[in-house]
Amino acid sequence: MGWLPERGRLAAGLLANLAASICIVFLNKWLYVHTGFPNLSLTLVHFAVTWLGLYACQALGVFAPKRLRPGQVLPLALSFCGFVVFTNLSLQSNTIGTYQLAKAMTTPVIVLIQTAAYGKTFPARIKLTLVPITLGVFLNSYYDVKFNLLGMVFASLGVLVTSLYQVWVGAKQHELQVNSMQLLYYQAPMSCGMLLCVVPFFEPLFGEGGIFGPWTLSAVLMVLLSGIIAFMVNLSIYWIIGNTSPVTYNMFGHFKFCITLMGGYLLFKDPLSINQGFGIACTLFGILAYTHFKLSEQEGSKSRLVQRP
């Protein structure tokens, strides 16, 4: 995109991330609803395509790999497997609205983990924003007419493992002095290998419902497209973080959150009650307040560093 002016490149990057982030949710849901493609096998395809995509990127000079020992990346690879698998299981078992809102609980859980395990302190105003987020998720789940207990178990496990993964990624990037793509370059093949060993115990490999089963050509193409879009999401997130401000990145994330929620109700005809609508508004308010206070805190820290003699 070198021929595009800077604003054009930024707009193109944001639009690519918006399209990919929304498409991956709807496409995966479509695969679960209309083809019954197995969850772990779909995750395995995503990891394999991400690995191949990252290999092509480093070959083209997009980033330079950094040599790491397998033991340094193993906990991340395990949690990477867990959070993607449980998140996909949550999407498979819940409505898109409940799936999307449950992901918002990652913020309170991360705060809890960092407070309990790392002794990090948060201002009272940050803690207070977690109340509407949690209340909104509870209200949406309680009044969801398609409430699924197993789906909520998967969503809860997904939130817990995702929170651990995000905390560990931040710590590992600082500890190993690597960026997210250099880390993912090692995580993806390790996670792929782990799932390759696990899939035969939980899902058939051949025959009806197996990864190598008698799928239609359209189903196979959709699965491969899902893998490519999953890689595009990772790649575009990395590009956006490197080329925009934290405000742009976070506000754009909230926009995607709203679009995905609306799309779920419109495309999959998921019922929405007034109480669920209030819960969604409550959660969105909490997320926006949390983002505002965190960004204000970061700007304050930068100002103090600049003013320090």
Side-chain angles (χ1 to χ4, degrees):
M1 292 194 294
W3 53 273
L4 282 174
E6 186 177 346
R7 285 188 178 181
R9 287 198 300 272
L10 179 59
L14 290 171
L15 284 173
N17 179 262
L18 175 67
S21 299
I22 293 172
C23 279
I24 192 67
V25 174
F26 296 149
L27 182 54
N28 286 357
K29 186 68 175 178
W30 185 89
L31 284 167
Y32 294 140
V33 172
H34 296 285
T35 71
F37 198 84
N39 180 280
L40 290 177
S41 299
L42 182 62
T43 306
L44 179 60
V45 171
H46 285 186
F47 287 167
V49 173
T50 297
W51 179 20
L52 292 172
L54 286 169
Y55 183 82
C57 283
Q58 65 86 26
L60 293 170
V62 176
F63 72 98
K66 185 172 181 179
R67 187 173 293 278
L68 301 172
R69 295 193 308 274
Q72 294 175 306
V73 189
L74 184 61
L76 278 180
L78 280 167
S79 59
F80 188 51
C81 276
F83 105 73
V84 176
V85 168
F86 285 127
T87 300
N88 281 345
L89 283 170
S90 171
L91 177 60
Q92 184 178 8
S93 307
N94 296 309
T95 62
I96 287 181
T98 297
Y99 154 81
Q100 191 72 7
L101 234 66
K103 286 168 63 178
M105 283 301 295
T106 304
T107 300
V109 174
I110 287 175
V111 170
L112 190 64
I113 290 171
Q114 289 185 323
T115 302
Y118 294 89
K120 188 173 180 179
T121 56
F122 294 87
R125 62 182 184 174
I126 293 287
K127 293 177 182 176
L128 285 173
T129 63
L130 307 182
V131 175
I133 294 175
T134 307
L135 177 63
V137 173
F138 172 77
L139 284 173
N140 177 76
S141 303
Y142 185 80
Y143 289 104
D144 187 354
V145 296
K146 290 188 176 180
F147 179 80
N148 183 329
L149 182 59
L150 183 61
M152 288 311 297
V153 170
F154 288 144
S156 300
L157 288 170
V159 166
L160 178 60
V161 181
T162 301
S163 302
L164 286 169
Y165 174 74
Q166 290 188 13
V167 170
W168 288 343
V169 162
K172 280 292 180 184
Q173 282 186 239
H174 180 74
E175 176 193 332
L176 303 174
Q177 293 298 296
V178 292
N179 62 40
S180 56
M181 287 188 82
Q182 290 172 322
L183 207 50
L184 193 57
Y185 183 70
Y186 279 89
Q187 281 174 231
M190 287 182 72
S191 298
C192 194
M194 290 172 187
L195 273 188
L196 202 57
C197 297
V198 170
V199 166
F201 294 99
F202 293 94
E203 297 172 355
L205 293 179
F206 302 95
E208 196 69 31
I211 188 172
F212 299 113
W215 300 103
T216 62
L217 179 60
S218 62
V220 172
L221 290 175
M222 286 298 184
V223 168
L224 291 175
L225 180 61
S226 176
I228 292 168
I229 293 174
F231 170 65
M232 286 176 61
V233 171
N234 288 323
L235 197 62
S236 58
I237 284 174
Y238 173 78
W239 187 87
I240 287 171
I241 291 171
N243 290 273
T244 67
S245 68
V247 176
T248 303
Y249 178 67
N250 280 281
M251 289 302 108
F252 193 64
H254 302 328
F255 179 62
K256 288 189 293 185
F257 177 86
C258 296
I259 293 289
T260 306
L261 278 176
M262 286 191 294
Y265 294 116
L266 293 174
L267 295 178
F268 291 92
K269 310 296 182 186
D270 294 334
L272 178 66
S273 69
I274 293 174
N275 290 320
Q276 279 181 282
F278 178 71
I280 291 169
C282 209
T283 298
L284 191 57
F285 170 76
I287 293 171
L288 289 169
Y290 175 85
T291 305
H292 171 72
F293 291 141
K294 285 296 288 183
L295 291 174
S296 299
E297 191 179 273
Q298 288 171 10
E299 288 300 317
S301 299
K302 286 180 185 176
S303 298
R304 284 193 293 273
L305 284 172
V306 170
Q307 292 171 6
R308 188 174 295 170

